[in-house]
Amino acid sequence: MGGAVRSVLWWITSVMGDHDYARYVEYLRTHDPDADVPTERAFWRARYRQQDTNPGARCC
């Protein structure tokens, strides 16, 4: 039962975007190792700012 609960929690957090920063950092380190990695706070600010300038990018 624990595995099923973990799977459901992982899915929910994935849908909510909780893993997006970690994936972005991994992408930057793979594709541009010399790039400055933004803080998690800066990442989310930029992401929300982008959604405000392009409301069609949001799902809801």
Side-chain angles (χ1 to χ4, degrees), residues 10-31 37 40 43-44 47:
W10 176 86
W11 184 82
I12 290 171
T13 58
S14 293
V15 169
M16 298 302 292
D18 292 356
H19 305 285
D20 290 355
Y21 176 71
R23 268 186 262 147
Y24 179 69
V25 170
E26 183 179 334
Y27 172 84
L28 273 182
R29 289 187 176 149
T30 303
H31 291 86
V37 177
E40 188 169 1
F43 169 79
W44 287 111
R47 184 169 176 171

